[in-house]
Amino acid sequence: MKRTLLCDERGATLVEFAILLPVLLALLMGLMDLCYQAYVQAVLEGAVQKAARDATIEAADTTTIDTRVTNTIRQVAGKATVIPSRLFYASFSLIKPEAFEDKNSNGKYDAGECFYDVNDNDQWDLDPGRAGQGGASDVTIYRVSVRYTRLFPLAGLLGWSSQVVLNASTRFKNQPYGAQSIPEVRKLCK
């Protein structure tokens, strides 16, 4: 009787399945989570590109555009937190740190060095963009950050955060429907 019990293989498939099931489910949920994240990223990038096209025209209301982007994202990501932001510049060539005269040749701006004040705020800036949409012929960087909770609560078991943060941005030039609002660049020594 003991020998027949040891040789009996009935139910072995069920035991093997029970061992493999958690691993397969974790892999499947992880794959579905990654696919969903890619889908939300694609929707976000599409919404940002559409918003940029709409924002270039004179009658563009940034609040309405931001609301459209938020609604588009929430159609696929439910209770996502959507944070839009805009910085504008006089031209594409000014989307970089303000130029300065590096007197000590260390490659970074130090107090007392002369710099070219692009945004007219009397201080050197790593990003000289000004907040907002800008005016005629200004270049705008439109950024949107989205945060949402993962689909499956098992993300912690895989070493992932329970929150997903996605970002998208685009650059565009406003229509030339009037005069630019940005003052000329001044050289300052402080």
Side-chain angles (χ1 to χ4, degrees):
M1 170 90 174
K2 210 176 195 184
R3 193 168 219 3
T4 54
L5 191 57
L6 287 174
C7 295
D8 191 0
E9 294 185 8
R10 290 180 293 169
T13 305
L14 183 62
V15 172
E16 291 170 359
F17 182 73
I19 293 170
L20 288 177
L21 183 64
V23 174
L24 291 174
L25 284 176
L27 284 173
L28 186 61
M29 285 188 245
L31 181 63
M32 289 186 337
D33 205 353
L34 288 175
C35 290
Y36 180 69
Q37 182 176 337
Y39 175 62
V40 173
Q41 181 70 44
V43 170
L44 172 61
E45 289 175 9
V48 166
Q49 291 297 322
K50 168 100 173 75
R53 288 189 301 272
D54 293 344
T56 61
I57 59 174
E58 181 178 11
D61 175 20
T62 56
T63 305
T64 304
I65 290 170
D66 292 344
T67 301
R68 276 192 229 140
V69 170
T70 300
N71 291 341
T72 301
I73 295 304
R74 288 191 177 151
Q75 285 177 357
V76 294
K79 297 178 182 177
T81 302
V82 181
I83 304 169
S85 66
R86 290 175 179 76
L87 292 175
F88 70 94
Y89 308 80
S91 69
F92 283 104
S93 65
L94 296 174
I95 304 174
K96 61 182 179 183
E98 291 176 323
F100 62 93
E101 294 175 0
D102 192 8
K103 292 179 182 175
N104 58 4
S105 301
N106 67 353
K108 63 180 185 175
Y109 175 77
D110 296 309
E113 294 180 327
C114 297
F115 63 94
Y116 294 90
D117 192 18
V118 172
N119 58 3
D120 198 34
N121 68 351
D122 295 334
Q123 67 183 28
W124 182 83
D125 294 296
L126 187 60
D127 186 346
R130 301 172 95 182
Q133 178 72 29
S137 297
D138 289 336
V139 174
T140 303
I141 296 179
Y142 181 54
R143 292 183 176 108
V144 179
S145 180
V146 173
R147 177 185 294 269
Y148 67 90
T149 304
R150 289 195 183 274
L151 290 177
F152 301 105
L154 297 175
L157 295 175
L158 300 173
W160 296 347
S161 167
S162 65
Q163 295 286 309
V164 176
V165 178
L166 302 175
N167 298 296
S169 68
T170 189
R171 300 173 183 185
F172 58 90
K173 186 167 185 159
N174 293 329
Q175 297 287 331
Y177 47 80
Q180 274 188 305
S181 61
I182 297 178
E184 291 184 28
V185 176
R186 301 178 298 141
K187 182 178 178 180
L188 296 176
C189 295
K190 289 193 166 211

Coordinates of all heavy atoms in Angstrom, one line a residue, residues 51-66 68 86 133-136 174-178:
A51 N -3.1 70.1 -28.0 CA -3.2 71.4 -27.2 C -2.2 72.4 -27.8 O -2.6 73.6 -27.8 CB -2.9 71.1 -25.7
A52 N -1.1 72.0 -28.2 CA -0.1 72.9 -28.7 C -0.6 73.5 -30.0 O -0.4 74.7 -30.3 CB 1.3 72.2 -29.0
R53 N -1.2 72.7 -30.9 CA -1.8 73.3 -32.1 C -2.9 74.3 -31.8 O -2.9 75.3 -32.4 CB -2.3 72.1 -33.0 CG -1.2 71.3 -33.6 CD -1.8 70.3 -34.7 NE -2.7 69.4 -34.1 CZ -2.4 68.2 -33.6 NH1 -1.2 67.8 -33.5 NH2 -3.4 67.4 -33.1
D54 N -3.7 74.0 -30.9 CA -4.8 74.9 -30.5 C -4.3 76.2 -29.8 O -4.8 77.2 -30.0 CB -5.8 74.2 -29.5 CG -6.5 73.1 -30.2 OD1 -6.5 73.0 -31.4 OD2 -7.1 72.3 -29.5
A55 N -3.2 76.0 -29.1 CA -2.6 77.2 -28.3 C -1.9 78.2 -29.2 O -1.7 79.3 -28.8 CB -1.7 76.7 -27.3
T56 N -1.6 77.9 -30.4 CA -0.8 78.8 -31.2 C -1.7 79.9 -31.8 O -1.2 80.9 -32.2 CB -0.1 78.1 -32.4 OG1 -1.1 77.5 -33.2 CG2 0.9 77.1 -31.9
I57 N -3.0 79.8 -31.8 CA -3.8 80.8 -32.4 C -4.2 81.8 -31.3 O -4.2 81.6 -30.1 CB -5.1 80.2 -33.0 CG1 -5.9 79.4 -32.0 CG2 -4.8 79.2 -34.1 CD1 -7.3 78.9 -32.5
E58 N -4.5 83.0 -31.8 CA -4.7 84.2 -30.9 C -5.9 83.9 -29.9 O -5.8 84.4 -28.8 CB -5.0 85.4 -31.8 CG -5.2 86.6 -31.0 CD -5.5 87.9 -31.8 OE1 -5.7 87.7 -33.0 OE2 -5.5 89.0 -31.3
A59 N -6.9 83.3 -30.3 CA -8.1 83.2 -29.5 C -8.0 82.0 -28.5 O -8.9 81.7 -27.7 CB -9.3 82.9 -30.3
A60 N -6.8 81.4 -28.4 CA -6.6 80.3 -27.5 C -6.7 80.7 -26.0 O -6.1 81.6 -25.6 CB -5.2 79.7 -27.8
D61 N -7.5 80.0 -25.3 CA -7.7 80.2 -23.9 C -7.0 79.0 -23.2 O -7.4 77.9 -23.3 CB -9.2 80.2 -23.5 CG -9.5 80.3 -22.0 OD1 -8.6 80.7 -21.3 OD2 -10.6 79.9 -21.6
T62 N -5.9 79.3 -22.5 CA -5.1 78.3 -21.9 C -5.9 77.4 -20.9 O -5.6 76.3 -20.8 CB -3.8 78.9 -21.3 OG1 -4.2 79.9 -20.3 CG2 -2.9 79.5 -22.3
T63 N -6.8 78.0 -20.2 CA -7.6 77.3 -19.2 C -8.4 76.2 -19.9 O -8.5 75.1 -19.4 CB -8.5 78.2 -18.4 OG1 -7.6 79.2 -17.8 CG2 -9.2 77.5 -17.3
T64 N -9.0 76.6 -21.0 CA -9.9 75.7 -21.7 C -9.0 74.6 -22.3 O -9.4 73.4 -22.3 CB -10.6 76.4 -22.9 OG1 -11.4 77.5 -22.3 CG2 -11.5 75.5 -23.7
I65 N -7.8 74.9 -22.8 CA -6.9 73.9 -23.4 C -6.5 72.9 -22.3 O -6.5 71.7 -22.5 CB -5.7 74.6 -24.1 CG1 -6.2 75.3 -25.4 CG2 -4.6 73.6 -24.4 CD1 -5.2 76.2 -26.0
D66 N -6.1 73.5 -21.2 CA -5.7 72.6 -20.1 C -6.8 71.7 -19.6 O -6.6 70.5 -19.3 CB -5.1 73.4 -18.9 CG -3.9 74.2 -19.2 OD1 -3.2 73.8 -20.2 OD2 -3.5 75.1 -18.4
R68 N -9.2 70.5 -21.5 CA -9.4 69.5 -22.5 C -8.3 68.4 -22.3 O -8.6 67.2 -22.4 CB -9.2 70.1 -23.9 CG -10.5 70.7 -24.4 CD -10.4 71.0 -25.9 NE -10.9 72.3 -26.1 CZ -10.3 73.2 -26.9 NH1 -9.3 72.9 -27.7 NH2 -10.8 74.4 -27.0
R86 N 3.5 76.1 -18.5 CA 4.0 76.7 -19.7 C 5.2 77.7 -19.4 O 5.1 78.4 -18.4 CB 2.9 77.6 -20.4 CG 1.8 76.8 -21.0 CD 0.7 77.7 -21.6 NE -0.3 77.0 -22.2 CZ -1.2 76.3 -21.6 NH1 -1.2 76.3 -20.3 NH2 -2.2 75.6 -22.2
Q133 N 1.8 81.7 -21.5 CA 1.7 81.3 -22.9 C 2.6 82.2 -23.8 O 3.0 81.9 -24.9 CB 0.2 81.4 -23.4 CG 0.0 81.2 -24.8 CD 0.1 79.7 -25.2 OE1 -0.1 78.8 -24.4 NE2 0.5 79.5 -26.4
G134 N 2.8 83.5 -23.3 CA 3.6 84.4 -24.2 C 2.7 85.1 -25.1 O 1.5 85.0 -25.1
G135 N 3.3 85.9 -26.0 CA 2.5 86.7 -26.9 C 2.9 86.3 -28.4 O 3.3 85.2 -28.6
A136 N 2.7 87.2 -29.3 CA 2.9 87.0 -30.7 C 4.3 86.6 -30.9 O 5.3 87.2 -30.4 CB 2.6 88.3 -31.4
N174 N 4.0 80.8 -31.2 CA 2.7 81.4 -31.3 C 2.6 82.2 -32.7 O 3.6 82.6 -33.3 CB 2.5 82.5 -30.2 CG 2.4 81.8 -28.9 OD1 2.0 80.7 -28.7 ND2 2.9 82.5 -27.8
Q175 N 1.4 82.3 -33.1 CA 1.1 83.0 -34.4 C 1.6 84.5 -34.3 O 1.4 85.1 -33.2 CB -0.4 83.0 -34.7 CG -1.0 81.6 -34.9 CD -0.5 81.0 -36.3 OE1 -0.3 81.8 -37.2 NE2 -0.4 79.7 -36.3
P176 N 2.0 85.1 -35.3 CA 2.5 86.5 -35.3 C 1.3 87.5 -35.4 O 1.2 88.2 -36.4 CB 3.5 86.6 -36.4 CG 2.9 85.6 -37.4 CD 2.4 84.5 -36.6
Y177 N 0.4 87.5 -34.5 CA -0.8 88.3 -34.5 C -0.6 89.7 -33.9 O -1.6 90.4 -33.8 CB -2.0 87.6 -33.9 CG -1.7 86.9 -32.6 CD1 -1.8 87.7 -31.4 CD2 -1.5 85.6 -32.5 CE1 -1.5 87.1 -30.2 CE2 -1.2 85.0 -31.3 CZ -1.2 85.7 -30.2 OH -1.0 85.1 -29.0
G178 N 0.5 90.0 -33.4 CA 0.8 91.3 -32.8 C 2.2 91.4 -32.5 O 3.1 90.7 -33.1

